[in-house]
Amino acid sequence: SRVIGRTVTVLDTITGPSPVEIGVKPGSDLPLHASAQGKIALAFSRRGLLTALRRQKLTAMTDRTVTDIAVLEQQVAAVRVAGWAGAYEEMMLGINGIAVPVFDEAGECVASLAVVGSIQFVPEQPGDLLLGPLIESGNAMSTALGYRP
């Protein structure tokens, strides 16, 4: 996904080997406040997205969607520290997404890489089995774009 304007747009998806597929269609715009990719953008983008979001009403998509800007700001601060974001049942019940940032040579967060799936397979606390490869892939993409921490 990539920030385009004031939203996060899914650029591409890769499906897994499971006969049942849960995913997000390329071209879909995701809410900044209710998606893992959006929270990555809020935490790492230099575009002032969080400032702009403070002036908007945060729409509830499920009963787990964060609609209080103060709570969202706390989550975004935690994402900056952790280096990854989750959105457990925030867009749709039964679905979780976890995401990591992708940086370019200037250190700008230009994209996010995410895993989206059923909460059966992508739990609220995903652990190293899911997070490890996701973080490694995000780091590899960042390195390929010239990022040097």
Side-chain angles (χ1 to χ4, degrees):
S1 302
R2 179 167 188 180
V3 175
I4 299 175
R6 298 274 183 215
T7 189
V8 174
T9 302
V10 175
L11 301 177
D12 199 8
T13 62
I14 299 171
T15 58
S18 175
V20 176
E21 182 180 321
I22 295 173
V24 184
K25 293 178 185 176
S28 297
D29 291 331
L30 305 176
L32 294 172
H33 72 291
S35 66
Q37 300 92 317
K39 290 178 185 183
I40 287 293
L42 291 170
F44 296 104
S45 176
R46 296 180 187 157
R47 297 179 186 225
L49 298 172
L50 192 55
T51 301
L53 207 56
R54 285 185 190 113
R55 296 187 291 265
Q56 300 174 14
K57 182 178 188 245
L58 302 181
T59 304
M61 302 177 82
T62 73
D63 62 348
R64 291 181 161 267
T65 306
V66 174
T67 58
D68 181 326
I69 192 68
V71 173
L72 181 63
E73 288 173 334
Q74 290 173 348
Q75 286 185 348
V76 168
V79 167
R80 278 191 204 104
V81 172
W84 67 277
Y88 188 81
E89 295 191 308
E90 291 189 45
M91 280 187 59
M92 182 178 287
L93 295 176
I95 304 297
N96 189 20
I98 56 174
V100 296
V102 176
F103 299 101
D104 68 8
E105 70 222 6
E108 175 70 22
C109 178
V110 294
S112 62
L113 183 62
V115 172
V116 176
S118 163
I119 58 173
Q120 176 181 354
F121 300 110
V122 185
E124 189 168 14
Q125 296 301 317
D128 290 339
L129 186 62
L130 283 173
L131 279 176
L134 183 62
I135 291 168
E136 287 175 22
S137 296
N139 289 342
M141 290 175 74
S142 296
T143 298
L145 292 175
Y147 179 66
R148 303 291 179 260

